[in-house]
Amino acid sequence: MTIEAGQPLAGQPTSARQAGPKRPLGGLGRAALGRAGRAALLATGRTPVPDALEPLVQAHRRHHPQADLGLLGRAYRLAEASHRGQKRKSGEPYITHPLAVTMILAQLGAGTTTLVSSLLHDTVEDTELTLAQVGEEFGPEVAYLVDGVTKLEKVDFGAAAEAETFRKMLVATGDDVRVMVIKLADRLHNMRTIRHMRPASQVRIAKVTRDVLIPLAERLGIQVLKAELEDIVFATLHPEEYARARALQAGHEAEPDALLEPFARTLARQLAEAGVTAEVTVRPRHCVSLHRVLLKRAAAPGPDGRPQGPQPADFGRLLVVVEENADCYAVLGELHTCWTPLPGEFKDFVAAPKFNLYQSLHTAVALEGGAVVEVLVRTRRMHEVAQTGVVALGDPRQPGAGGADQGTDELDRTDPARPGWLSRLLEWQQETPDPDAFWSALTADLAGDREITVVTEAGETLQLRAGASCVDAAYLLGEETGHRCIGARVNGRLTSLSTVLQDGDRLAILTEQGDPAAHPSGPAPEWLAHARTPAARLAIERWLADHPALLPVVRTGPSAGQPAPPAHRATERGAAPVAVAGRPGAPVRLARCCTPVPPDQVSGFAIRGGAVAVHRTGCPAGERMRADGRGALEIHWQPDGAPPSGYRATLRAEALNRPRLLADLTAAISGEGVGIVSAEVEPPQELRVRHTYTVELPEPAALAAVMRAMLRVSGVYDVSRPHAPAGGGARPRAGEAEPGAGGGPAGGGGPAGEGGPADGDGPVGGGGPADGPVSGPENGDAPSAPGVRTSWGIHGRSAAFTGH
């Protein structure tokens, strides 16, 4: 079924003269012919209808043979009487507009109730007829549909009238999708006559049609309306490009088809020989579709390096219509057996229908001459739904809507009255009372012309617009889930929240666990750059407005309710922290590059001034000293020794970035009675961040407790000690009573800012320059070794970080 763009519908009256009596037949006069016609109608029991409705009745009876024509006749008479005397900008009587809109709907196969509402759709808006009168005459269902497409008055809403009108239509569509179907048919006829509008009005109406109504037609699956609207908008906004595409179409149509039609005949013979009953036709492309193909050709250089021109196969595609679903795959087998299929061009929308109910097999094969032909394969029912979308499912409020012949078809699980995308759209529109914000969000949401399907690890199916990120998926699972998400796993791999999801991805959203009141968290402002759906953006903006961002405070003391760290003065210390064999009383300096802490395995190296620098075994700085010929001295930790200001240790935390992470980490460290000497935060990379802290330990055993506390902070998945040994010594782990002798880093390299001369051999408790010839270690030379790791504990749709 096709609806010719820009042409009057067959038999449609366009003026009162054309709608008048027809030419007499034979020798009967007009009066005698009228009496004979009425007698024939009465004899057959059919209710007479006005002559202007005859073409509409014929189109309607092709889809609904038992339709109530009396109801249509009453609706037409009321509409004609209400609009009598009104003219359109084209000069035609106004009644020609509702007649044309109703004819479009009749050709689509809409039900009688929809046609009655279409005939009356402008009466409440443009005439003295009231909604109560419509409801009294035709019932509440017709009144609801008429009210749904009635525009709001500019007198009441001003500049916001258009946005609020669309909001009203969408809300009404949420209860009955036929409201939007009538609106689309109404806009199609208005676009057909747009040439009678002022140029400025043409552009404005065309842009609204492009941004809102064409995407809505796509989502409702009404392709015949969408294609014609696209062509008229294209001709209005881009007349030169339209003229070029139309000229190419006309030139191709004027010449015999030497490619597609012969191939269609060959394919039909091949399918007949294989015993597959099928109808093979050539479907020409409409102007916008041809224009898109031409743009792709121009962007792809040919063998000679120049842009390619249009090819014969660009002007159409082959459509194969079969009887059963299994026949679709039989046709596919014949195609791929007899011709060469192109890799990556096969798409199965039969097993996995698109969000707008569309089902077909898509493939492309290469012919002997090198031409590539696209082929669509579908059943008759699929073809009907592909053309008319939700209209093919019937009136949603009628029993058995959609036809009883569907059996166990996939469409049986679809609610035509409320598609899934519409339900999501209605959810976020309630949160945007501002008309401008609603309009911007609506056009942004409709901008994506396709959707993707993502499956959670819990088995839940999520429908998202193409280009959506993990942030969008998190908020689709629920606003609370979105606010508490701290990471994601896509196809089994940890990834950032900014990752763009692809069709068929397997997803897990990792959320912060615990009491939200005790650990307040939420989205960061940076998330807005990754949110593609209005629902996610609105939720993030609302949370940020309710929770003004607070600057993180770095604490260097204990948190409230925690004991203060003990004071450590040189006078309170006993012997030196280590004993050097053969050098009693020698000054000892614990290296800042690897921050040794008992019971780490350590080595000593003599430096200038008779002092001894102590490095962890395997420290790159110590290994360079050894390579320079310095002999390692035997070092032993003193049981009762300690530096004057306590042991310093450098800890590195790898985490998923989130608000208040720095504040929570510093609070966790201070809560263990440990002072923070310095803190470094590197710029986030793909929402992952690295924090490096230098802490002052009251006792060596406090190191393991601090690392455990850091691991308990939500979002932290790795805690390690930089400049780790190459393999010697025990590794400190959260949960052990004492730190090991050389926990490895999570990726090598020292903390940001290290590497100066004081890093290697400064005196214990000080920060002065090195006394030896070594200028300090070079950061980044430490061999990688695993640090303290975490495990993921998945609970439904969220995950908790737990140490082990």
Side-chain angles (χ1 to χ4, degrees):
M1 180 192 66
T2 59
I3 301 177
E4 295 295 333
Q7 298 295 328
L9 296 167
Q12 172 188 326
T14 57
S15 67
R17 181 180 302 273
Q18 290 175 320
K22 300 180 180 180
R23 178 180 300 177
L25 300 177
L28 293 176
R30 282 185 293 185
L33 181 62
R35 288 193 297 271
R38 285 191 292 273
L41 289 174
L42 292 174
T44 58
R46 289 180 53 186
T47 304
V49 296
D51 291 342
L53 281 186
E54 281 297 340
L56 190 152
V57 167
Q58 294 174 12
H60 187 40
R61 281 199 174 277
R62 282 196 292 269
H63 299 276
H64 303 276
Q66 304 302 320
D68 184 356
L69 299 183
L71 197 62
L72 281 177
R74 286 166 47 203
Y76 170 76
R77 293 185 184 95
L78 180 58
E80 194 277 333
S82 300
H83 290 296
R84 189 173 298 159
Q86 295 180 345
K87 299 284 186 179
R88 307 196 77 220
K89 290 188 180 297
S90 61
E92 298 174 324
Y94 196 91
I95 190 61
T96 60
H97 171 66
L99 269 176
V101 173
T102 308
M103 174 60 81
I104 293 172
L105 294 170
Q107 290 178 323
L108 292 175
T112 305
T113 303
T114 306
L115 301 190
V116 170
S117 304
S118 173
L119 285 170
L120 301 170
H121 79 274
D122 276 340
T123 54
V124 175
E125 180 181 332
D126 296 331
T127 73
E128 298 298 325
L129 193 67
T130 66
L131 194 63
Q133 291 173 323
V134 173
E136 183 179 352
E137 182 70 18
F138 296 97
E141 189 174 352
V142 171
Y144 183 85
L145 296 178
V146 172
D147 182 49
V149 295
T150 299
K151 296 179 183 177
L152 299 175
E153 295 291 342
K154 287 190 176 181
V155 175
D156 300 326
F157 291 88
E162 185 172 40
E164 292 301 328
T165 295
F166 272 101
R167 187 202 297 267
K168 172 174 171 280
M169 289 181 187
L170 287 171
V171 173
T173 302
D175 291 329
D176 197 325
V177 76
R178 291 175 294 177
V179 171
M180 192 55 64
V181 173
I182 296 174
K183 177 60 182 177
L184 290 170
D186 173 65
R187 180 54 60 95
L188 175 57
H189 183 252
N190 285 332
M191 292 300 291
R192 286 176 175 178
T193 58
I194 196 173
R195 62 187 179 278
H196 299 292
M197 303 291 290
R198 295 190 305 271
S201 297
Q202 292 184 31
V203 172
R204 178 184 61 82
I205 296 172
K207 286 183 177 180
V208 173
T209 304
R210 177 197 63 192
D211 296 338
V212 177
L213 289 168
I214 288 177
L216 286 173
E218 167 73 15
R219 280 158 173 72
L220 294 176
I222 313 176
Q223 294 297 323
V224 288
L225 291 188
K226 171 180 176 282
E228 185 172 349
L229 285 172
E230 281 184 331
D231 283 352
I232 300 175
V233 168
F234 186 42
T236 303
L237 299 180
H238 307 283
E240 295 181 358
E241 290 87 343
Y242 174 81
R244 175 172 174 265
R246 192 68 191 94
L248 287 173
Q249 270 188 329
H252 176 74
E253 293 168 359
E255 299 177 357
D257 189 346
L259 178 67
L260 295 179
E261 290 184 359
F263 178 59
R265 290 192 292 268
T266 303
L267 177 59
R269 288 195 300 270
Q270 180 65 33
L271 295 177
E273 293 175 2
V276 179
T277 302
E279 178 182 337
V280 184
T281 58
V282 177
R283 287 179 58 85
R285 292 184 182 273
H286 62 101
C287 274
V288 171
S289 179
L290 177 60
H291 178 69
R292 293 185 181 128
V293 173
L294 296 178
L295 290 179
K296 292 181 180 179
R297 289 287 186 189
D304 57 354
R306 297 181 180 179
Q308 302 180 60
Q311 304 296 319
D314 295 339
F315 291 91
R317 296 179 290 185
L318 258 62
L319 173 65
V320 182
V321 179
V322 295
E323 297 298 330
E324 303 291 340
N325 286 19
D327 293 338
C328 294
Y329 297 96
V331 172
L332 184 70
E334 293 297 323
L335 278 167
H336 289 187
T337 300
C338 301
W339 293 274
T340 304
L342 266 65
E345 294 295 326
F346 171 64
K347 297 177 183 177
D348 189 348
F349 296 118
V350 172
K354 296 176 70 174
F355 68 97
N356 60 358
L357 314 180
Y358 178 85
Q359 288 183 284
S360 281
L361 295 180
H362 288 208
T363 189
V365 295
L367 307 186
E368 293 182 358
V372 176
V373 177
E374 297 182 40
V375 184
L376 313 179
V377 186
R378 60 181 71 141
T379 65
R380 296 188 184 279
R381 177 61 179 169
M382 293 176 191
H383 181 59
E384 183 182 358
V385 175
Q387 294 292 94
T388 60
V390 295
V391 181
L393 303 181
D395 289 349
R397 299 189 183 183
Q398 296 298 324
D405 57 341
Q406 294 183 55
T408 58
D409 192 271
E410 178 72 22
L411 296 176
D412 284 344
R413 297 195 294 272
T414 302
D415 180 10
R418 191 156 211 198
W421 62 267
L422 180 58
S423 298
R424 296 192 296 273
L425 187 150
L426 293 174
E427 289 173 3
W428 64 254
Q429 70 85 22
Q430 298 175 358
E431 306 296 332
T432 53
D434 180 66
D436 292 336
F438 164 75
W439 190 254
S440 300
L442 176 64
T443 53
D445 187 60
L446 295 176
D449 61 353
R450 67 183 186 91
E451 288 195 0
I452 60 173
T453 301
V454 175
V455 181
T456 67
E457 293 186 354
E460 185 174 355
T461 300
L462 306 180
Q463 297 287 341
L464 292 158
R465 57 173 291 186
S469 66
C470 295
V471 172
D472 299 302
Y475 280 95
L476 184 58
L477 290 170
E479 192 166 305
E480 186 63 25
T481 301
H483 288 341
R484 296 178 63 80
C485 71
I486 52 178
R489 184 167 57 241
V490 178
N491 300 325
R493 299 184 63 182
L494 183 67
T495 187
S496 65
L497 290 174
S498 62
T499 300
V500 176
L501 297 170
Q502 303 297 325
D503 196 29
D505 279 346
R506 193 162 179 262
L507 172 71
I509 296 296
L510 311 176
T511 59
E512 180 183 15
Q513 301 299 302
D515 183 8
H519 302 283
S521 63
E526 294 79 10
W527 289 14
L528 290 172
H530 312 308
R532 299 291 184 271
T533 58
R537 293 186 61 84
L538 292 170
I540 295 170
E541 290 171 350
R542 185 169 55 251
W543 193 95
L544 294 175
D546 295 339
H547 302 78
L550 299 177
L551 293 176
V553 179
V554 179
R555 304 174 186 171
T556 58
S559 59
Q562 295 291 337
H568 303 290
R569 293 185 175 88
T571 56
E572 298 176 357
R573 300 293 176 178
V578 297
V580 184
R583 296 195 179 191
V588 175
R589 296 176 175 87
L590 301 181
R592 298 287 180 84
C593 57
C594 54
T595 57
V597 175
D600 291 343
Q601 295 182 4
V602 292
S603 300
F605 300 91
I607 58 176
R608 187 171 52 192
V612 175
V614 179
H615 290 263
R616 290 161 63 187
T617 300
C619 173
E623 294 302 318
R624 285 196 299 272
M625 288 175 142
R626 192 190 304 272
D628 289 340
R630 300 193 186 193
L633 303 176
E634 186 178 350
I635 300 292
H636 299 284
W637 293 103
Q638 293 279 57
D640 298 328
S645 59
Y647 290 98
R648 289 191 178 186
T650 300
L651 301 177
R652 174 178 296 153
E654 306 276 352
L656 298 171
N657 195 25
R658 63 171 178 84
R660 297 187 56 82
L661 177 61
L662 177 60
D664 291 347
L665 274 171
T666 54
I669 295 172
S670 299
E672 297 297 323
V674 174
I676 300 176
V677 178
S678 66
E680 299 284 347
V681 179
E682 300 181 19
Q685 299 290 334
E686 293 294 327
L687 294 185
R688 302 179 189 179
V689 69
R690 174 182 292 175
H691 289 217
T692 304
Y693 299 90
T694 299
V695 298
E696 191 172 88
L697 303 171
E699 298 294 338
L703 180 59
V706 172
M707 297 178 76
R708 285 197 301 269
M710 294 174 69
L711 271 176
R712 285 194 295 268
V713 173
S714 179
V716 177
Y717 59 86
D718 192 359
V719 176
S720 61
R721 295 176 63 191
H723 290 263
R731 185 172 69 230
R733 301 177 65 88
E736 295 179 355
E738 294 182 348
E754 289 188 0
D759 286 347
D761 307 314
V764 172
D771 294 334
V774 179
S775 61
E778 297 176 6
N779 292 323
D781 293 340
S784 297
V788 179
R789 301 291 178 183
T790 61
S791 64
W792 305 102
I794 305 301
H795 307 283
R797 291 193 300 234
S798 61
F801 294 90
T802 56
H804 65 81

Short mmCIF file of all heavy atoms in Angstrom, two decimals, residues 47-50 53 69-84 95 119-120 138:
data_model
loop_
_atom_site.label_atom_id
_atom_site.label_comp_id
_atom_site.label_asym_id
_atom_site.label_seq_id
_atom_site.Cartn_x
_atom_site.Cartn_y
_atom_site.Cartn_z
N THR A 47 -27.09 1.74 5.14
CA THR A 47 -27.48 3.11 5.44
C THR A 47 -26.87 4.03 4.40
O THR A 47 -25.68 3.95 4.12
CB THR A 47 -26.99 3.51 6.84
OG1 THR A 47 -27.49 2.58 7.78
CG2 THR A 47 -27.45 4.91 7.19
N PRO A 48 -27.66 4.93 3.78
CA PRO A 48 -27.09 5.83 2.79
C PRO A 48 -26.09 6.78 3.42
O PRO A 48 -26.24 7.19 4.57
CB PRO A 48 -28.32 6.57 2.24
CG PRO A 48 -29.34 6.47 3.33
CD PRO A 48 -29.11 5.14 3.98
N VAL A 49 -25.06 7.11 2.68
CA VAL A 49 -24.04 8.04 3.15
C VAL A 49 -23.94 9.17 2.14
O VAL A 49 -24.28 9.01 0.96
CB VAL A 49 -22.67 7.35 3.31
CG1 VAL A 49 -22.73 6.28 4.38
CG2 VAL A 49 -22.20 6.74 1.99
N PRO A 50 -23.46 10.33 2.55
CA PRO A 50 -23.29 11.43 1.60
C PRO A 50 -22.33 11.05 0.49
O PRO A 50 -21.43 10.22 0.66
CB PRO A 50 -22.71 12.55 2.48
CG PRO A 50 -23.13 12.20 3.88
CD PRO A 50 -23.15 10.71 3.93
N LEU A 53 -18.60 11.01 0.98
CA LEU A 53 -17.98 9.94 1.77
C LEU A 53 -17.75 8.67 0.97
O LEU A 53 -17.14 7.73 1.49
CB LEU A 53 -18.87 9.61 2.98
CG LEU A 53 -18.79 10.54 4.19
CD1 LEU A 53 -19.62 9.97 5.33
CD2 LEU A 53 -17.35 10.71 4.66
N LEU A 69 -21.50 2.30 8.77
CA LEU A 69 -21.45 3.48 7.90
C LEU A 69 -22.39 4.58 8.39
O LEU A 69 -22.16 5.75 8.11
CB LEU A 69 -21.83 3.07 6.47
CG LEU A 69 -20.91 2.03 5.82
CD1 LEU A 69 -21.35 1.77 4.38
CD2 LEU A 69 -19.46 2.48 5.87
N GLY A 70 -23.43 4.21 9.11
CA GLY A 70 -24.33 5.23 9.63
C GLY A 70 -23.61 6.16 10.59
O GLY A 70 -23.86 7.38 10.61
N LEU A 71 -22.70 5.61 11.40
CA LEU A 71 -21.93 6.43 12.34
C LEU A 71 -21.03 7.41 11.58
O LEU A 71 -20.90 8.58 11.96
CB LEU A 71 -21.10 5.52 13.24
CG LEU A 71 -20.54 6.14 14.52
CD1 LEU A 71 -21.67 6.60 15.43
CD2 LEU A 71 -19.64 5.15 15.24
N LEU A 72 -20.40 6.94 10.50
CA LEU A 72 -19.57 7.82 9.69
C LEU A 72 -20.41 8.93 9.06
O LEU A 72 -19.99 10.10 9.01
CB LEU A 72 -18.87 7.02 8.59
CG LEU A 72 -17.64 6.21 8.99
CD1 LEU A 72 -17.12 5.41 7.80
CD2 LEU A 72 -16.54 7.12 9.50
N GLY A 73 -21.60 8.57 8.56
CA GLY A 73 -22.46 9.58 7.94
C GLY A 73 -22.87 10.64 8.93
O GLY A 73 -22.86 11.85 8.61
N ARG A 74 -23.23 10.26 10.16
CA ARG A 74 -23.59 11.24 11.18
C ARG A 74 -22.42 12.15 11.52
O ARG A 74 -22.58 13.37 11.68
CB ARG A 74 -24.07 10.52 12.43
CG ARG A 74 -25.46 9.90 12.30
CD ARG A 74 -25.72 8.93 13.43
NE ARG A 74 -25.35 9.48 14.73
CZ ARG A 74 -25.05 8.74 15.81
NH1 ARG A 74 -25.04 7.41 15.70
NH2 ARG A 74 -24.76 9.31 16.96
N ALA A 75 -21.23 11.57 11.63
CA ALA A 75 -20.06 12.38 11.95
C ALA A 75 -19.76 13.37 10.84
O ALA A 75 -19.40 14.54 11.09
CB ALA A 75 -18.86 11.48 12.21
N TYR A 76 -19.88 12.93 9.59
CA TYR A 76 -19.60 13.84 8.48
C TYR A 76 -20.60 14.99 8.45
O TYR A 76 -20.24 16.15 8.25
CB TYR A 76 -19.63 13.09 7.15
CG TYR A 76 -19.59 14.02 5.96
CD1 TYR A 76 -18.41 14.64 5.58
CD2 TYR A 76 -20.76 14.30 5.24
CE1 TYR A 76 -18.37 15.52 4.51
CE2 TYR A 76 -20.73 15.17 4.17
CZ TYR A 76 -19.53 15.78 3.80
OH TYR A 76 -19.50 16.66 2.75
N ARG A 77 -21.88 14.68 8.64
CA ARG A 77 -22.89 15.75 8.59
C ARG A 77 -22.66 16.78 9.68
O ARG A 77 -22.79 17.98 9.46
CB ARG A 77 -24.28 15.14 8.69
CG ARG A 77 -24.68 14.27 7.50
CD ARG A 77 -26.12 13.79 7.61
NE ARG A 77 -26.46 12.88 6.51
CZ ARG A 77 -26.40 11.57 6.60
NH1 ARG A 77 -26.00 10.99 7.73
NH2 ARG A 77 -26.72 10.82 5.56
N LEU A 78 -22.30 16.30 10.88
CA LEU A 78 -22.03 17.24 11.96
C LEU A 78 -20.79 18.08 11.67
O LEU A 78 -20.78 19.30 11.91
CB LEU A 78 -21.85 16.47 13.28
CG LEU A 78 -21.55 17.31 14.53
CD1 LEU A 78 -22.66 18.33 14.76
CD2 LEU A 78 -21.36 16.43 15.75
N ALA A 79 -19.74 17.45 11.13
CA ALA A 79 -18.52 18.20 10.81
C ALA A 79 -18.77 19.20 9.70
O ALA A 79 -18.31 20.36 9.76
CB ALA A 79 -17.41 17.23 10.41
N GLU A 80 -19.52 18.78 8.68
CA GLU A 80 -19.78 19.69 7.56
C GLU A 80 -20.62 20.89 8.00
O GLU A 80 -20.37 22.04 7.61
CB GLU A 80 -20.50 18.91 6.45
CG GLU A 80 -20.54 19.63 5.09
CD GLU A 80 -21.66 20.62 5.01
OE1 GLU A 80 -22.69 20.42 5.70
OE2 GLU A 80 -21.52 21.62 4.26
N ALA A 81 -21.63 20.65 8.84
CA ALA A 81 -22.45 21.75 9.34
C ALA A 81 -21.65 22.68 10.24
O ALA A 81 -21.83 23.90 10.20
CB ALA A 81 -23.67 21.18 10.08
N SER A 82 -20.75 22.11 11.05
CA SER A 82 -19.96 22.94 11.97
C SER A 82 -18.96 23.81 11.23
O SER A 82 -18.72 24.97 11.60
CB SER A 82 -19.25 22.05 12.98
OG SER A 82 -20.16 21.28 13.74
N HIS A 83 -18.34 23.26 10.18
CA HIS A 83 -17.30 23.99 9.44
C HIS A 83 -17.87 24.79 8.26
O HIS A 83 -17.09 25.41 7.53
CB HIS A 83 -16.25 23.02 8.90
CG HIS A 83 -15.39 22.40 9.96
ND1 HIS A 83 -14.53 23.13 10.73
CD2 HIS A 83 -15.26 21.10 10.37
CE1 HIS A 83 -13.89 22.33 11.58
NE2 HIS A 83 -14.33 21.08 11.38
N ARG A 84 -19.19 24.77 8.08
CA ARG A 84 -19.78 25.43 6.92
C ARG A 84 -19.44 26.93 6.94
O ARG A 84 -19.56 27.60 7.96
CB ARG A 84 -21.28 25.22 6.90
CG ARG A 84 -21.98 25.68 5.62
CD ARG A 84 -23.43 25.25 5.65
NE ARG A 84 -23.53 23.79 5.71
CZ ARG A 84 -24.61 23.14 6.15
NH1 ARG A 84 -25.66 23.83 6.59
NH2 ARG A 84 -24.64 21.83 6.15
N ILE A 95 -14.09 21.73 5.17
CA ILE A 95 -14.45 20.33 5.36
C ILE A 95 -13.56 19.40 4.55
O ILE A 95 -13.44 18.21 4.86
CB ILE A 95 -15.95 20.11 4.98
CG1 ILE A 95 -16.42 18.71 5.40
CG2 ILE A 95 -16.16 20.33 3.50
CD1 ILE A 95 -16.34 18.45 6.89
N LEU A 119 -12.97 12.85 11.58
CA LEU A 119 -13.90 13.78 10.93
C LEU A 119 -14.23 14.96 11.84
O LEU A 119 -14.46 16.07 11.38
CB LEU A 119 -15.18 13.05 10.53
CG LEU A 119 -15.09 12.13 9.30
CD1 LEU A 119 -16.35 11.29 9.18
CD2 LEU A 119 -14.86 12.94 8.02
N LEU A 120 -14.22 14.72 13.15
CA LEU A 120 -14.60 15.76 14.11
C LEU A 120 -13.41 16.41 14.80
O LEU A 120 -13.60 17.20 15.74
CB LEU A 120 -15.52 15.14 15.18
CG LEU A 120 -16.82 14.49 14.68
CD1 LEU A 120 -17.48 13.72 15.80
CD2 LEU A 120 -17.76 15.55 14.13
N PHE A 138 -21.60 10.97 20.32
CA PHE A 138 -20.81 9.83 19.82
C PHE A 138 -20.13 9.02 20.93
O PHE A 138 -19.44 8.05 20.63
CB PHE A 138 -19.74 10.32 18.84
CG PHE A 138 -20.31 10.95 17.60
CD1 PHE A 138 -20.44 12.32 17.50
CD2 PHE A 138 -20.73 10.16 16.55
CE1 PHE A 138 -20.97 12.91 16.36
CE2 PHE A 138 -21.27 10.73 15.40
CZ PHE A 138 -21.39 12.12 15.31
#
